[in-house]
Structures are given as structure tokens and as C-alpha cells.
Amino acid sequence: MSDRLYALRASLLERIWRETSSNTKEGIKKIVRFSLTDFDLCNKIDKCSKQKPCTLSCCPYCSERRGKRYFRDTLKKQGVHLLPIDSLRWVTINVCETESLEDGARQLAEKEHQALRHIVGKIRKSCFIYDEDGNPLDSQIRIWGAREVQPVYDKEFNKISWKFHWHMIVYLDGYPDNLLKTELSKRWTDKRAINIACVRAKSEAGLRRSLRRLATYPAKACFTQHHSSENGTREWLPPPVVDELAQWMVSRDSQWQRFSLGNRRK
């Protein structure tokens, strides 16, 4: 490619990055398509449609479909929408930040996942729940989780790192919020690392809608970051960063993202 063509492409990308909205799936698809250096992937996502989905994890439309299937085929079949609303929580944990996507993904799925399993087991052993007659109940925390990665781009030094985190729907089954947060905080000590929020709904139908939204939310890919902390505006990441993240998402193990704990009672 000649210098003139490089300059034209750079000018085109700059205009696209400036004019494309990050609030629409079409905008996300457009940015990913223009960032991809793999022609086959670019062509596949470009031809994606409702009738013939590309099924790529970096495609916002197919990711949304995947989230809806997760609710229908996993959460709903396991009865999460039938659980008491006041015992359901939406938990986010910022686990680690690394310079390598592969290293961070491995750490999140192996070492940190084992730590989470240990914490859940510890809570069950150290806290007993009793019924009104004082008899111990066989309570069990249940977790439906998604592993996520978010790019952290330093524009000044042109440096990228990757922040790995979990989004989880947690059924507490009688265990108090403060016990869960206390035990999690012993492992992930940053005060901003853990956020526990109630799953809000006024009816069973409202709960299904909330859980469907939560199941879909982690399926998205984050190709933007905050531009200004004052007004919360966002800007697109540079094309090479979008390309790296999108291609990694396509190549990762299909079982990497979703996990669950405590959903098989003995």
C-alpha cells in the first residue's frame, strides 16, 4: 500500500471514529468492522444479519442473542426467576489488571476462580442458617457468573492494559450481604473492587425482565473507555486495540466466559 493510500485510510478511520456513536449496536459493529485486520472476520461480521448471524462474540447483535439464549437455556431452566427476589444480588468484582490478555484470562479462569470457590465454601462452613424451630438448614449460595475484560488505554504513553472482572447473579439463600462482602474483601482488598446491589423487581414478571437484562449485559464487548471523568463521556479505543480485543474474543475458548457455582445439590 502506498503512502497516499495509508494517509487516506488514516483520514477515513479518524472521521469514522469521530462521527460514530457508541450508544448503538450498529455503531459498535461499524467500529469493529473497520478495525479488524483479518479480512475473513471483517467480511463475516459485515454480512451478519438476523436471518444469517455471524455468531462472532465481538458482534454486538450476536452477543445480545447469546445473552438471551443464556437466560432462556440456563438461568430460566435452573429456576433463577423463581427464587425469592430479596435474596438475589448483582455482584461485580474487579479481580486483576494485566498487560497480557492471555495471562489475565488464564489467571481469572484458574487461580482467581479457585479462590472464589474457596470463599463460597468457607462461608457455608462458617455460617449456619436455622429455621424458626432452631433446626439447621442446608443452605447454599448459588452463583451464575460471567468473566469479562475491559481495556484500559493510556493515551499519553500509548499503553494498553486489561482489567479482568466478574459479573455475577448471586442467590444468598439466607446468608447476609455483609458476610459475603467481608469474605470477598479479604481476597480483593481494593475498596472499589467489589460492588453488591439488589436485583430490583416488584413481581415475578419484573424479575424475569431484570434477570434477562443482567444475562445480556455481560455479553457485550467494551470497545470504549471514559474520555472525561467529569461528564462521563466515552471515546472509542484506537483501531489496533479494538482489533486485538475482537480477535482475541473470537479465538478464546467458548466455555471461558460463563461459569456457575453451587447449582448442583447433592
Side-chain angles (χ1 to χ4, degrees):
M1 187 182 293
S2 67
D3 292 343
R4 184 182 177 186
L5 288 177
Y6 272 118
L8 285 172
R9 184 176 186 274
S11 176
L12 175 63
L13 289 177
E14 183 181 351
R15 182 168 63 83
I16 292 171
W17 256 243
R18 185 175 61 252
E19 297 176 356
T20 303
S21 171
S22 62
N23 295 323
T24 65
K25 290 190 286 294
E26 184 58 34
I28 297 171
K29 178 181 175 180
K30 184 177 181 180
I31 290 296
V32 172
R33 180 165 56 87
F34 275 95
S35 299
L36 285 168
T37 55
D38 185 315
F39 178 78
D40 290 335
L41 292 180
C42 181
N43 189 47
K44 193 172 183 181
I45 196 173
D46 187 38
K47 294 181 178 179
C48 180
S49 66
K50 192 172 183 179
Q51 291 72 30
K52 294 183 178 181
C54 66
T55 69
L56 297 176
S57 54
C58 62
C59 171
Y61 293 100
C62 291
S63 292
E64 185 177 68
R65 295 185 191 105
R66 188 178 294 107
K68 290 178 179 178
R69 286 198 304 272
Y70 178 64
F71 172 78
R72 182 186 67 237
D73 299 340
T74 301
L75 297 183
K76 196 173 180 181
K77 282 187 176 180
Q78 293 183 1
V80 65
H81 62 294
L82 302 175
L83 297 172
I85 298 173
D86 58 359
S87 287
L88 287 172
R89 299 292 183 269
W90 175 244
V91 181
T92 298
I93 305 177
N94 292 313
V95 180
C96 60
E97 188 171 323
T98 67
E99 294 183 0
S100 166
L101 270 171
E102 293 295 338
D103 291 346
R106 191 179 304 109
Q107 180 177 338
L108 193 67
E110 296 175 5
K111 182 179 178 181
E112 302 298 345
H113 183 76
Q114 289 300 320
L116 179 64
R117 288 176 60 91
H118 174 75
I119 289 169
V120 171
K122 182 180 178 182
I123 292 174
R124 288 200 66 202
K125 291 179 181 178
S126 63
C127 181
F128 294 96
I129 308 298
Y130 298 90
D131 62 17
E132 295 178 355
D133 299 324
N135 300 314
L137 299 175
D138 182 23
S139 299
Q140 179 155 345
I141 294 177
R142 302 174 68 187
I143 293 176
W144 296 267
R147 302 182 179 100
E148 291 295 314
V149 59
Q150 177 180 340
V152 181
Y153 178 64
D154 188 329
K155 198 170 185 178
E156 182 179 356
F157 296 99
N158 191 28
K159 184 179 179 182
I160 184 74
S161 60
W162 307 95
K163 183 168 69 175
F164 287 85
H165 54 286
W166 286 313
H167 293 301
M168 300 184 291
I169 297 172
V170 179
Y171 173 53
L172 292 174
D173 200 11
Y175 295 103
D177 289 62
N178 58 351
L179 175 65
L180 177 64
K181 188 163 187 177
T182 297
E183 292 300 326
L184 292 174
S185 298
K186 292 177 182 178
R187 172 71 182 186
W188 299 285
T189 56
D190 192 303
K191 292 181 179 179
R192 297 172 296 179
I194 301 167
N195 181 54
I196 300 177
C198 295
V199 175
R200 301 190 181 278
K202 295 182 179 180
S203 64
E204 184 180 319
L207 178 60
R208 284 199 300 270
R209 287 194 295 270
S210 292
L211 292 172
R212 191 181 297 113
R213 286 195 297 269
L214 294 180
T216 304
Y217 174 76
K220 67 181 178 58
C222 188
F223 296 109
T224 63
Q225 70 173 12
H226 284 291
H227 175 62
S228 170
S229 58
E230 296 179 359
N231 56 26
T233 58
R234 304 187 71 85
E235 66 175 3
W236 295 108
L237 294 159
V241 178
V242 176
D243 180 40
E244 181 181 0
L245 177 57
Q247 294 210 47
W248 174 79
M249 290 177 66
V250 172
S251 65
R252 73 187 178 191
D253 188 327
S254 60
Q255 302 301 315
W256 179 84
Q257 189 177 36
R258 306 291 187 184
F259 69 93
S260 66
L261 293 174
N263 287 310
R264 291 185 179 179
R265 292 179 180 273
K266 294 182 179 180

